[in-house]
Every structure is written in C-alpha cells, then in structure tokens.
Coordinates of all heavy atoms in Angstrom, one line a residue:
V105 N 18.6 5.4 -23.7 CA 17.3 4.9 -24.0 C 16.3 5.6 -23.0 O 16.5 5.6 -21.8 CB 17.2 3.4 -23.8 CG1 15.8 2.9 -24.1 CG2 18.2 2.7 -24.7
R106 N 15.2 6.1 -23.6 CA 14.2 6.7 -22.7 C 13.4 5.7 -22.0 O 13.2 4.6 -22.5 CB 13.3 7.6 -23.6 CG 13.9 8.7 -24.3 CD 12.9 9.6 -25.0 NE 11.9 8.7 -25.7 CZ 10.7 9.1 -25.9 NH1 10.2 10.2 -25.4 NH2 9.9 8.3 -26.6
V107 N 12.9 6.1 -20.8 CA 12.2 5.1 -20.0 C 10.9 4.6 -20.7 O 10.5 3.5 -20.6 CB 11.9 5.7 -18.6 CG1 10.8 6.6 -18.6 CG2 11.7 4.5 -17.6
E108 N 10.3 5.5 -21.5 CA 9.1 5.1 -22.2 C 9.4 4.0 -23.2 O 8.6 3.1 -23.4 CB 8.5 6.3 -23.0 CG 7.8 7.4 -22.1 CD 8.8 8.4 -21.5 OE1 10.0 8.2 -21.8 OE2 8.4 9.2 -20.7
D109 N 10.6 4.1 -23.8 CA 11.0 3.1 -24.8 C 11.2 1.8 -24.1 O 10.9 0.7 -24.7 CB 12.2 3.5 -25.6 CG 12.0 4.8 -26.4 OD1 10.8 5.0 -26.8 OD2 12.9 5.5 -26.7
K110 N 11.8 1.8 -22.9 CA 12.0 0.6 -22.2 C 10.7 0.0 -21.7 O 10.5 -1.2 -21.8 CB 12.9 0.9 -20.9 CG 14.3 1.1 -21.3 CD 15.2 0.7 -20.1 CE 16.6 0.4 -20.6 NZ 17.4 -0.2 -19.6
L111 N 9.7 0.8 -21.2 CA 8.5 0.3 -20.8 C 7.7 -0.3 -21.9 O 7.0 -1.3 -21.7 CB 7.6 1.5 -20.2 CG 8.0 1.9 -18.7 CD1 7.2 3.2 -18.4 CD2 7.7 0.8 -17.7
Y112 N 7.9 0.2 -23.1 CA 7.2 -0.3 -24.3 C 7.5 -1.7 -24.5 O 6.8 -2.5 -25.1 CB 7.6 0.6 -25.5 CG 6.8 0.2 -26.7 CD1 5.5 0.4 -26.9 CD2 7.5 -0.5 -27.7 CE1 4.8 0.0 -28.0 CE2 6.9 -0.9 -28.9 CZ 5.5 -0.6 -29.0 OH 4.8 -1.0 -30.2
Q113 N 8.7 -2.2 -24.0 CA 9.1 -3.6 -24.3 C 8.4 -4.6 -23.4 O 8.6 -5.8 -23.6 CB 10.6 -3.7 -24.2 CG 11.3 -2.8 -25.2 CD 12.8 -2.9 -25.2 OE1 13.3 -3.9 -24.7 NE2 13.5 -2.0 -25.8
N114 N 7.8 -4.1 -22.3 CA 7.1 -5.0 -21.4 C 5.8 -5.6 -22.2 O 5.3 -4.9 -23.0 CB 6.6 -4.3 -20.2 CG 7.7 -3.9 -19.3 OD1 8.8 -4.5 -19.3 ND2 7.6 -2.7 -18.6
R115 N 5.5 -6.8 -21.8 CA 4.3 -7.4 -22.5 C 3.3 -7.8 -21.4 O 3.7 -7.9 -20.2 CB 4.8 -8.7 -23.2 CG 5.6 -8.3 -24.5 CD 4.7 -7.7 -25.5 NE 5.5 -7.2 -26.6 CZ 5.9 -5.9 -26.8 NH1 5.6 -5.0 -25.9 NH2 6.7 -5.6 -27.9
Y116 N 2.1 -7.9 -21.8 CA 1.1 -8.2 -20.8 C 0.2 -9.3 -21.3 O -0.3 -9.3 -22.4 CB 0.2 -6.9 -20.6 CG -0.6 -7.0 -19.3 CD1 0.0 -6.5 -18.1 CD2 -1.8 -7.5 -19.3 CE1 -0.7 -6.6 -17.0 CE2 -2.5 -7.7 -18.1 CZ -2.0 -7.2 -17.0 OH -2.7 -7.3 -15.8
R117 N 0.0 -10.3 -20.4 CA -0.9 -11.4 -20.7 C -2.2 -11.2 -19.9 O -2.2 -11.3 -18.7 CB -0.2 -12.7 -20.4 CG -1.0 -13.8 -21.1 CD -0.1 -15.0 -21.2 NE -1.0 -16.2 -21.5 CZ -0.9 -17.3 -20.9 NH1 0.0 -17.5 -19.9 NH2 -1.7 -18.3 -21.2
V118 N -3.3 -10.9 -20.6 CA -4.5 -10.6 -19.9 C -5.2 -11.9 -19.4 O -5.4 -12.8 -20.2 CB -5.5 -9.7 -20.7 CG1 -6.8 -9.5 -20.0 CG2 -4.8 -8.4 -21.2
D119 N -5.6 -11.9 -18.2 CA -6.4 -13.0 -17.7 C -7.9 -12.5 -17.8 O -8.4 -12.0 -16.8 CB -6.0 -13.3 -16.2 CG -6.5 -14.7 -15.8 OD1 -7.2 -15.3 -16.5 OD2 -6.2 -15.1 -14.6
S120 N -8.4 -12.7 -19.0 CA -9.7 -12.0 -19.2 C -10.8 -12.6 -18.3 O -10.9 -13.8 -18.1 CB -10.1 -12.1 -20.6 OG -9.8 -13.3 -21.2
G121 N -11.6 -11.8 -17.8 CA -12.7 -12.2 -16.9 C -12.3 -12.4 -15.5 O -13.1 -12.8 -14.6
R122 N -11.0 -12.3 -15.2 CA -10.5 -12.5 -13.8 C -9.6 -11.4 -13.4 O -8.4 -11.5 -13.4 CB -9.6 -13.8 -13.8 CG -10.4 -15.1 -13.7 CD -9.5 -16.0 -13.0 NE -9.9 -17.4 -13.1 CZ -9.5 -18.3 -12.2 NH1 -8.6 -17.9 -11.2 NH2 -9.8 -19.5 -12.3
S123 N -10.2 -10.3 -13.1 CA -9.4 -9.1 -12.7 C -8.8 -9.4 -11.4 O -9.4 -9.9 -10.4 CB -10.3 -7.9 -12.6 OG -9.6 -6.8 -12.2
H124 N -7.5 -9.1 -11.3 CA -6.8 -9.2 -10.0 C -7.0 -8.0 -9.1 O -6.5 -8.0 -7.9 CB -5.3 -9.5 -10.2 CG -4.5 -8.4 -10.8 ND1 -4.6 -8.1 -12.1 CD2 -3.6 -7.6 -10.2 CE1 -3.8 -7.1 -12.3 NE2 -3.2 -6.7 -11.2
I125 N -7.7 -7.0 -9.6 CA -8.0 -5.8 -8.8 C -9.5 -5.6 -8.9 O -10.1 -5.7 -9.9 CB -7.3 -4.6 -9.4 CG1 -5.9 -4.8 -9.7 CG2 -7.5 -3.4 -8.4 CD1 -5.2 -3.8 -10.6
K126 N -10.1 -5.3 -7.7 CA -11.5 -5.0 -7.7 C -11.7 -3.7 -6.9 O -11.1 -3.5 -5.8 CB -12.3 -6.1 -7.1 CG -12.4 -7.3 -7.9 CD -13.5 -8.3 -7.4 CE -13.6 -9.5 -8.4 NZ -12.5 -10.4 -8.4
V127 N -12.5 -2.8 -7.5 CA -12.9 -1.6 -6.7 C -14.2 -1.9 -6.0 O -15.1 -2.5 -6.5 CB -13.1 -0.4 -7.7 CG1 -13.7 0.8 -7.0 CG2 -11.9 -0.1 -8.4
T128 N -14.2 -1.6 -4.7 CA -15.3 -1.8 -3.8 C -16.5 -0.9 -4.3 O -16.2 0.3 -4.6 CB -15.0 -1.5 -2.4 OG1 -13.8 -2.3 -2.0 CG2 -16.2 -1.9 -1.5
P129 N -17.7 -1.5 -4.5 CA -18.8 -0.6 -5.0 C -19.0 0.6 -4.1 O -18.9 0.4 -2.9 CB -20.0 -1.6 -4.9 CG -19.4 -2.9 -5.1 CD -18.1 -2.9 -4.4
H130 N -19.2 1.7 -4.7 CA -19.3 2.9 -3.9 C -20.3 3.9 -4.7 O -20.5 3.8 -5.9 CB -18.0 3.6 -3.7 CG -17.2 3.8 -5.0 ND1 -16.5 2.9 -5.6 CD2 -17.1 4.9 -5.8 CE1 -16.0 3.3 -6.7 NE2 -16.3 4.6 -6.9
V131 N -20.8 4.8 -3.9 CA -21.7 5.9 -4.6 C -20.8 7.1 -5.0 O -20.8 7.5 -6.1 CB -22.8 6.3 -3.6 CG1 -23.6 7.4 -4.3 CG2 -23.7 5.1 -3.2
T132 N -20.0 7.6 -4.0 CA -19.0 8.6 -4.3 C -17.7 8.1 -3.9 O -17.5 7.5 -2.9 CB -19.3 9.9 -3.6 OG1 -19.6 9.6 -2.2 CG2 -20.5 10.7 -4.2
P133 N -16.7 8.3 -4.8 CA -15.4 7.7 -4.5 C -14.6 8.5 -3.3 O -14.8 9.7 -3.2 CB -14.6 7.9 -5.8 CG -15.4 8.9 -6.6 CD -16.8 8.9 -6.1
S134 N -13.9 7.7 -2.6 CA -13.1 8.3 -1.5 C -11.9 9.1 -2.2 O -11.6 9.0 -3.4 CB -12.4 7.2 -0.7 OG -11.5 6.5 -1.5
P135 N -11.3 10.1 -1.4 CA -10.2 10.8 -2.0 C -9.1 9.9 -2.5 O -8.4 10.2 -3.5 CB -9.7 11.6 -0.8 CG -10.9 11.7 0.1 CD -11.7 10.5 -0.1
E136 N -8.9 8.8 -1.8 CA -7.8 7.8 -2.2 C -8.1 7.3 -3.6 O -7.3 7.2 -4.5 CB -7.7 6.7 -1.2 CG -7.0 7.1 0.1 CD -8.0 7.8 1.0 OE1 -9.2 7.9 0.7 OE2 -7.6 8.2 2.1
L137 N -9.4 6.8 -3.8 CA -9.8 6.3 -5.1 C -9.6 7.3 -6.2 O -9.1 7.0 -7.3 CB -11.2 5.8 -5.1 CG -11.5 4.4 -4.6 CD1 -13.0 4.1 -4.7 CD2 -10.7 3.4 -5.5
L138 N -10.1 8.5 -5.9 CA -9.9 9.6 -6.9 C -8.5 9.9 -7.2 O -8.1 10.1 -8.4 CB -10.6 10.9 -6.4 CG -12.1 11.0 -6.5 CD1 -12.5 12.4 -5.9 CD2 -12.5 10.9 -8.0
A139 N -7.6 9.8 -6.2 CA -6.2 10.0 -6.5 C -5.6 9.0 -7.4 O -4.7 9.3 -8.2 CB -5.4 10.0 -5.2
L140 N -6.1 7.8 -7.4 CA -5.6 6.7 -8.2 C -5.8 7.0 -9.7 O -5.0 6.5 -10.5 CB -6.2 5.4 -7.8 CG -5.7 4.8 -6.5 CD1 -6.4 3.5 -6.2 CD2 -4.2 4.6 -6.6
V141 N -6.9 7.7 -10.0 CA -7.1 8.0 -11.4 C -5.9 8.8 -12.0 O -5.5 8.6 -13.1 CB -8.4 8.9 -11.5 CG1 -8.6 9.3 -13.0 CG2 -9.6 8.1 -11.0
K142 N -5.3 9.6 -11.1 CA -4.1 10.3 -11.6 C -2.8 9.6 -11.3 O -1.8 9.8 -12.0 CB -4.1 11.7 -10.9 CG -5.2 12.6 -11.3 CD -4.7 14.0 -11.2 CE -5.8 15.0 -11.7 NZ -6.5 15.7 -10.7
L143 N -2.8 8.8 -10.2 CA -1.5 8.3 -9.8 C -1.1 6.9 -10.4 O 0.1 6.6 -10.5 CB -1.5 8.1 -8.3 CG -1.5 9.4 -7.5 CD1 -1.5 9.1 -6.0 CD2 -0.2 10.2 -7.8
C144 N -2.0 6.1 -10.8 CA -1.7 4.8 -11.4 C -0.8 5.1 -12.7 O -1.3 5.7 -13.6 CB -2.9 4.0 -11.7 SG -2.5 2.6 -12.7
P145 N 0.4 4.5 -12.7 CA 1.2 4.8 -13.9 C 0.7 4.1 -15.1 O 1.1 4.6 -16.2 CB 2.6 4.2 -13.4 CG 2.3 3.2 -12.4 CD 1.1 3.7 -11.7
A146 N -0.1 3.1 -15.0 CA -0.6 2.4 -16.2 C -2.0 2.9 -16.5 O -2.6 2.4 -17.5 CB -0.6 0.9 -15.9
R147 N -2.5 3.9 -15.8 CA -3.8 4.5 -16.0 C -4.9 3.4 -16.1 O -5.8 3.4 -16.9 CB -3.8 5.3 -17.3 CG -2.8 6.4 -17.3 CD -3.0 7.4 -18.4 NE -1.9 8.4 -18.5 CZ -1.9 9.5 -17.8 NH1 -2.8 9.9 -17.0 NH2 -0.8 10.3 -17.9
C148 N -4.9 2.6 -15.1 CA -5.9 1.5 -15.0 C -7.2 2.0 -14.4 O -8.2 1.5 -14.6 CB -5.4 0.4 -14.1 SG -4.0 -0.5 -14.8
Y149 N -7.1 3.1 -13.6 CA -8.3 3.6 -12.9 C -8.9 4.8 -13.7 O -8.1 5.6 -14.2 CB -7.9 4.1 -11.5 CG -7.6 3.0 -10.6 CD1 -6.3 2.5 -10.5 CD2 -8.6 2.4 -9.8 CE1 -6.0 1.4 -9.7 CE2 -8.2 1.3 -9.0 CZ -6.9 0.9 -8.9 OH -6.6 -0.2 -8.1
E150 N -10.2 4.8 -13.8 CA -10.8 6.0 -14.5 C -12.2 6.2 -13.9 O -12.8 5.3 -13.3 CB -10.8 5.8 -16.0 CG -11.6 4.7 -16.5 CD -11.6 4.6 -18.0 OE1 -10.6 5.1 -18.6 OE2 -12.6 4.1 -18.6
L151 N -12.7 7.4 -14.1 CA -14.0 7.8 -13.6 C -15.0 7.4 -14.7 O -14.8 7.7 -15.9 CB -14.1 9.3 -13.4 CG -13.7 9.9 -12.1 CD1 -13.7 11.4 -12.1 CD2 -14.6 9.4 -10.9
N152 N -16.1 6.7 -14.3 CA -17.1 6.5 -15.3 C -18.1 7.6 -15.3 O -18.0 8.6 -14.6 CB -17.8 5.1 -15.0 CG -18.7 5.2 -13.7 OD1 -19.0 6.3 -13.2 ND2 -19.0 4.0 -13.2
G153 N -19.1 7.5 -16.2 CA -20.0 8.6 -16.4 C -20.8 9.0 -15.2 O -21.4 10.1 -15.1
N154 N -20.9 8.1 -14.2 CA -21.7 8.3 -13.0 C -20.8 8.8 -11.8 O -21.3 9.0 -10.7 CB -22.4 7.0 -12.5 CG -23.4 6.6 -13.5 OD1 -24.1 7.4 -14.1 ND2 -23.5 5.3 -13.7
G155 N -19.6 9.1 -12.1 CA -18.7 9.7 -11.1 C -18.1 8.6 -10.2 O -17.5 9.0 -9.1
Q156 N -18.2 7.4 -10.6 CA -17.6 6.3 -9.8 C -16.2 5.9 -10.4 O -16.1 6.0 -11.6 CB -18.5 5.1 -9.6 CG -19.6 5.3 -8.6 CD -21.0 5.0 -9.3 OE1 -21.0 4.4 -10.3 NE2 -22.0 5.5 -8.6
V157 N -15.4 5.4 -9.6 CA -14.0 4.9 -10.1 C -14.1 3.5 -10.5 O -14.6 2.6 -9.8 CB -12.9 5.2 -9.1 CG1 -11.6 4.6 -9.5 CG2 -12.8 6.7 -8.8
E158 N -13.6 3.2 -11.7 CA -13.6 1.8 -12.2 C -12.1 1.4 -12.5 O -11.3 2.3 -12.7 CB -14.4 1.7 -13.5 CG -15.9 1.9 -13.3 CD -16.6 1.8 -14.6 OE1 -16.0 1.9 -15.7 OE2 -17.8 1.6 -14.6
V159 N -11.9 0.2 -12.5 CA -10.5 -0.3 -12.8 C -10.5 -1.2 -14.0 O -11.5 -2.0 -14.2 CB -9.9 -1.0 -11.6 CG1 -10.6 -2.3 -11.2 CG2 -8.4 -1.2 -11.8
A160 N -9.5 -1.1 -14.9 CA -9.3 -2.1 -15.9 C -7.9 -2.7 -15.7 O -6.9 -2.0 -15.7 CB -9.3 -1.4 -17.3
H161 N -7.9 -4.0 -15.4 CA -6.7 -4.6 -14.8 C -5.6 -4.8 -15.9 O -4.5 -5.0 -15.5 CB -7.0 -5.9 -14.1 CG -7.4 -7.0 -15.0 ND1 -8.7 -7.0 -15.6 CD2 -6.8 -8.1 -15.3 CE1 -8.8 -8.1 -16.3 NE2 -7.7 -8.8 -16.2
D162 N -6.0 -4.9 -17.1 CA -5.0 -5.1 -18.1 C -4.1 -3.9 -18.2 O -4.5 -2.8 -18.3 CB -5.6 -5.5 -19.5 CG -6.6 -4.4 -19.9 OD1 -7.6 -4.2 -19.2 OD2 -6.5 -3.9 -21.0
G163 N -2.8 -4.2 -18.3 CA -1.8 -3.1 -18.3 C -1.2 -2.8 -16.9 O -0.2 -2.1 -16.8
C164 N -1.8 -3.4 -15.9 CA -1.3 -3.1 -14.5 C 0.1 -3.6 -14.4 O 0.5 -4.7 -14.8 CB -2.1 -3.9 -13.5 SG -1.4 -3.9 -11.8
M165 N 1.0 -2.7 -13.9 CA 2.4 -3.1 -13.8 C 2.8 -3.6 -12.5 O 4.0 -3.8 -12.2 CB 3.3 -1.8 -14.2 CG 3.2 -1.4 -15.6 SD 4.3 -0.1 -16.0 CE 3.3 1.3 -15.5
E166 N 1.8 -3.9 -11.6 CA 2.0 -4.4 -10.3 C 3.0 -3.6 -9.5 O 3.9 -4.1 -8.8 CB 2.5 -5.9 -10.4 CG 1.5 -6.8 -11.1 CD 2.0 -8.2 -11.4 OE1 3.0 -8.6 -10.8 OE2 1.4 -8.8 -12.4
C167 N 2.8 -2.3 -9.6 CA 3.7 -1.4 -8.9 C 3.4 -1.2 -7.4 O 4.2 -0.9 -6.6 CB 3.7 0.0 -9.6 SG 2.2 1.0 -9.2
G168 N 2.1 -1.5 -7.1 CA 1.7 -1.5 -5.7 C 1.2 -0.1 -5.2 O 0.7 -0.1 -4.0
T169 N 1.2 0.9 -6.0 CA 0.7 2.2 -5.6 C -0.7 2.1 -5.1 O -1.0 2.6 -4.0 CB 0.8 3.2 -6.7 OG1 2.2 3.3 -7.2 CG2 0.4 4.6 -6.3
C170 N -1.6 1.5 -5.8 CA -3.0 1.5 -5.4 C -3.1 0.6 -4.1 O -4.0 0.9 -3.3 CB -3.9 1.0 -6.5 SG -3.5 -0.6 -7.2
R171 N -2.3 -0.4 -3.9 CA -2.4 -1.2 -2.7 C -2.1 -0.3 -1.5 O -2.8 -0.3 -0.5 CB -1.4 -2.4 -2.7 CG -1.7 -3.3 -3.8 CD -0.9 -4.6 -3.6 NE -1.6 -5.4 -2.6 CZ -1.2 -6.6 -2.3 NH1 -0.2 -7.2 -2.8 NH2 -1.9 -7.3 -1.3
V172 N -1.0 0.4 -1.6 CA -0.6 1.2 -0.5 C -1.6 2.3 -0.2 O -1.9 2.6 1.0 CB 0.8 1.9 -0.8 CG1 1.2 2.9 0.2 CG2 1.9 0.9 -1.0
L173 N -2.2 2.9 -1.2 CA -3.1 4.0 -1.0 C -4.5 3.6 -0.6 O -5.1 4.2 0.2 CB -3.2 4.8 -2.3 CG -3.5 6.3 -2.2 CD1 -2.3 7.0 -1.5 CD2 -3.7 6.8 -3.6
A174 N -5.0 2.5 -1.2 CA -6.5 2.3 -1.1 C -6.9 0.9 -0.6 O -8.0 0.7 -0.2 CB -7.1 2.5 -2.5
E175 N -5.9 0.0 -0.4 CA -6.4 -1.3 0.0 C -6.6 -1.3 1.5 O -7.6 -2.0 2.0 CB -5.3 -2.4 -0.3 CG -5.8 -3.8 -0.2 CD -4.8 -4.8 -0.6 OE1 -3.6 -4.6 -0.4 OE2 -5.2 -5.8 -1.1
G176 N -5.9 -0.6 2.3 CA -6.0 -0.6 3.7 C -7.4 -0.2 4.2 O -7.9 -0.7 5.2
K177 N -8.0 0.8 3.5 CA -9.3 1.3 3.9 C -10.4 0.5 3.2 O -11.6 0.9 3.4 CB -9.4 2.8 3.6 CG -8.6 3.6 4.5 CD -8.9 5.1 4.2 CE -8.1 6.0 5.1 NZ -8.2 7.4 4.7
G178 N -10.1 -0.5 2.5 CA -11.1 -1.3 1.8 C -11.7 -0.8 0.5 O -12.7 -1.2 0.1
D179 N -11.0 0.2 0.0 CA -11.5 0.8 -1.3 C -11.3 -0.2 -2.5 O -12.0 -0.1 -3.4 CB -10.8 2.1 -1.6 CG -11.3 3.3 -0.7 OD1 -12.5 3.3 -0.5 OD2 -10.5 4.1 -0.3
I180 N -10.3 -1.0 -2.4 CA -10.0 -2.0 -3.4 C -9.6 -3.3 -2.8 O -9.2 -3.3 -1.6 CB -8.9 -1.5 -4.4 CG1 -7.6 -1.4 -3.7 CG2 -9.3 -0.2 -5.1 CD1 -6.4 -1.3 -4.6
T181 N -9.7 -4.4 -3.5 CA -9.0 -5.6 -3.2 C -8.0 -5.9 -4.3 O -8.3 -5.6 -5.5 CB -9.9 -6.8 -3.0 OG1 -10.7 -6.9 -4.2 CG2 -10.8 -6.6 -1.8
W182 N -6.9 -6.4 -3.9 CA -5.8 -6.6 -4.9 C -5.1 -7.9 -4.6 O -4.7 -8.2 -3.5 CB -4.8 -5.4 -4.7 CG -3.9 -5.1 -5.9 CD1 -4.0 -4.1 -6.7 CD2 -2.7 -5.8 -6.2 NE1 -2.9 -4.1 -7.6 CE2 -2.1 -5.2 -7.3 CE3 -2.0 -7.0 -5.7 CZ2 -0.9 -5.6 -7.9 CZ3 -0.9 -7.4 -6.4 CH2 -0.3 -6.7 -7.4
T183 N -4.9 -8.8 -5.6 CA -4.1 -10.0 -5.4 C -3.2 -10.0 -6.6 O -3.5 -9.4 -7.7 CB -5.0 -11.2 -5.4 OG1 -5.8 -11.2 -6.6 CG2 -5.9 -11.3 -4.2
Y184 N -2.2 -10.8 -6.6 CA -1.3 -11.0 -7.7 C -2.1 -11.8 -8.8 O -2.9 -12.6 -8.5 CB 0.0 -11.7 -7.4 CG 1.0 -10.7 -6.8 CD1 1.2 -10.7 -5.4 CD2 1.7 -9.9 -7.6 CE1 2.1 -9.8 -4.9 CE2 2.6 -9.0 -7.1 CZ 2.8 -8.9 -5.7 OH 3.7 -8.0 -5.2
P185 N -1.8 -11.5 -10.1 CA -2.5 -12.3 -11.1 C -2.0 -13.7 -11.0 O -1.0 -14.0 -10.4 CB -1.9 -11.7 -12.4 CG -1.4 -10.3 -12.1 CD -1.0 -10.4 -10.6
R186 N -2.8 -14.6 -11.5 CA -2.5 -16.1 -11.5 C -1.2 -16.2 -12.3 O -0.8 -15.4 -13.1 CB -3.5 -16.9 -12.3 CG -4.8 -17.1 -11.6 CD -5.6 -18.1 -12.3 NE -6.1 -17.7 -13.6 CZ -6.6 -18.5 -14.5 NH1 -6.6 -19.8 -14.3 NH2 -7.0 -18.1 -15.7
G187 N -0.5 -17.3 -11.9 CA 0.8 -17.6 -12.6 C 0.7 -17.6 -14.1 O -0.2 -18.1 -14.7
G188 N 1.7 -16.9 -14.7 CA 1.7 -16.9 -16.2 C 0.9 -15.7 -16.8 O 1.0 -15.5 -18.0
Y189 N 0.2 -15.0 -15.9 CA -0.6 -13.9 -16.4 C 0.0 -12.6 -15.8 O 0.8 -12.6 -14.9 CB -2.1 -14.0 -16.0 CG -2.8 -15.1 -16.7 CD1 -2.9 -16.3 -16.1 CD2 -3.3 -14.8 -18.0 CE1 -3.6 -17.3 -16.8 CE2 -4.0 -15.8 -18.6 CZ -4.1 -17.1 -18.0 OH -4.8 -18.1 -18.7
G190 N -0.5 -11.5 -16.4 CA -0.1 -10.2 -15.9 C 1.1 -9.7 -16.7 O 1.4 -10.1 -17.8
V191 N 1.8 -8.8 -16.0 CA 2.9 -8.1 -16.7 C 4.1 -9.0 -16.9 O 4.4 -9.8 -16.0 CB 3.3 -6.7 -16.0 CG1 3.9 -7.0 -14.7 CG2 4.1 -5.9 -16.9
L192 N 4.8 -8.9 -18.0 CA 6.0 -9.7 -18.2 C 7.1 -8.6 -18.5 O 7.1 -8.1 -19.6 CB 5.9 -10.6 -19.4 CG 4.6 -11.5 -19.4 CD1 4.4 -12.1 -20.8 CD2 4.8 -12.6 -18.4
F193 N 7.9 -8.4 -17.5 CA 8.9 -7.4 -17.7 C 10.1 -7.9 -18.5 O 10.5 -9.0 -18.4 CB 9.4 -6.9 -16.3 CG 8.4 -6.1 -15.5 CD1 7.8 -6.7 -14.4 CD2 8.2 -4.8 -15.8 CE1 6.9 -6.0 -13.7 CE2 7.2 -4.1 -15.1 CZ 6.6 -4.7 -14.0
K194 N 10.5 -7.0 -19.3 CA 11.8 -7.3 -20.1 C 12.9 -6.6 -19.4 O 12.9 -5.4 -19.2 CB 11.6 -6.9 -21.5 CG 12.9 -7.2 -22.3 CD 12.7 -6.7 -23.8 CE 14.1 -6.6 -24.3 NZ 14.4 -7.4 -25.4
F195 N 13.9 -7.3 -19.0 CA 15.1 -6.7 -18.3 C 16.2 -6.6 -19.3 O 16.3 -7.3 -20.2 CB 15.5 -7.6 -17.1 CG 14.4 -7.6 -16.1 CD1 13.6 -8.7 -16.0 CD2 14.3 -6.6 -15.2 CE1 12.6 -8.8 -15.0 CE2 13.3 -6.6 -14.2 CZ 12.5 -7.7 -14.1
G196 N 17.1 -5.6 -19.0 CA 18.3 -5.4 -19.8 C 18.0 -4.4 -20.9 O 17.0 -3.9 -21.1
Ligands
LIG277 FE1 -1.9 0.9 -11.3 FE2 0.2 0.1 -9.9 FE3 -2.2 -0.4 -9.0 FE4 -1.3 -1.7 -11.1 S1 -0.5 -1.8 -9.0 S2 -3.4 -0.8 -11.0 S3 -0.1 -0.2 -12.1 S4 -1.3 1.6 -9.3

C-alpha cells in the first residue's frame, strides 16, 4: 500500500473559527515562515497576495514541524486542537 493511500484514510474534524495555529502578524515573513510553505506536509501554509504567510488549520496532521521551526522565535503559536477535533488517524 502506498503511503498516499494510507494518508487518504485519515479524517479531519474542523473546529471552524478556532484555529489551533496562528501566524503572528508580520510585514515580511521570516525565513522560517517562508520555509513552512514548502515544508508543511499538509500544505497548511501559503503566501497571500501581499507576500505574507497565512495558515489554514484544517488538514493539519499535528506533525510538529512548524512548532519546531517557527514557534520558538514567536512566528507562530500552536496548541493542540480541542478534544474531538483535528486529525483522526486510521491505524492498521
Ligand atoms: Fe503542517 Fe505539521 Fe504544522 Fe500541522 S503541525 S501545520 S501538518 S507542519
């Protein structure tokens, strides 16, 4: 089974209006924020038309990459989604 086929079986429950990730407002993104546009496996981060990085929390797999890269310097804040929300991994 290909990993893409396995990932496809994960489900996501969106906590709409309550993003568990926030990008700190900025004029120009830091190198770390820019890197997340490419590194987030769920492609949650993207550049908007003004050159700033935005996040869409739905689809986040809670892998922690963005926390390691950008939370320490204050580029983002990240908490786990509320109970019952977020990614629901299917094992096996
Ligand atoms: Fe993307 Fe992982 Fe950060 Fe979620 S935790 S937004 S999947 S890098």
Side-chain angles (χ1 to χ4, degrees):
V105 180
R106 295 185 317 148
V107 77
E108 287 83 1
D109 295 333
K110 284 204 160 195
L111 282 171
Y112 181 72
Q113 297 184 20
N114 293 327
R115 291 291 173 260
Y116 198 88
R117 193 158 165 231
V118 179
D119 199 354
S120 39
R122 278 208 194 204
S123 178
H124 66 286
I125 314 166
K126 289 193 175 67
V127 174
T128 306
H130 55 278
V131 179
T132 45
S134 67
E136 289 81 3
L137 271 182
L138 277 179
L140 286 177
V141 175
K142 292 208 173 109
L143 290 179
C144 168
R147 303 196 187 268
C148 292
Y149 291 87
E150 60 178 30
L151 274 175
N152 67 17
N154 296 321
Q156 285 126 13
V157 173
E158 293 179 343
V159 67
H161 69 291
D162 51 305
C164 168
M165 292 187 276
E166 299 170 25
C167 73
T169 302
C170 59
R171 298 195 77 173
V172 172
L173 207 68
E175 198 179 30
K177 288 186 179 169
D179 285 321
I180 63 163
T181 54
W182 200 106
T183 53
Y184 279 101
R186 285 194 293 165
Y189 290 95
V191 67
L192 309 165
F193 288 107
K194 180 182 161 121
F195 295 100

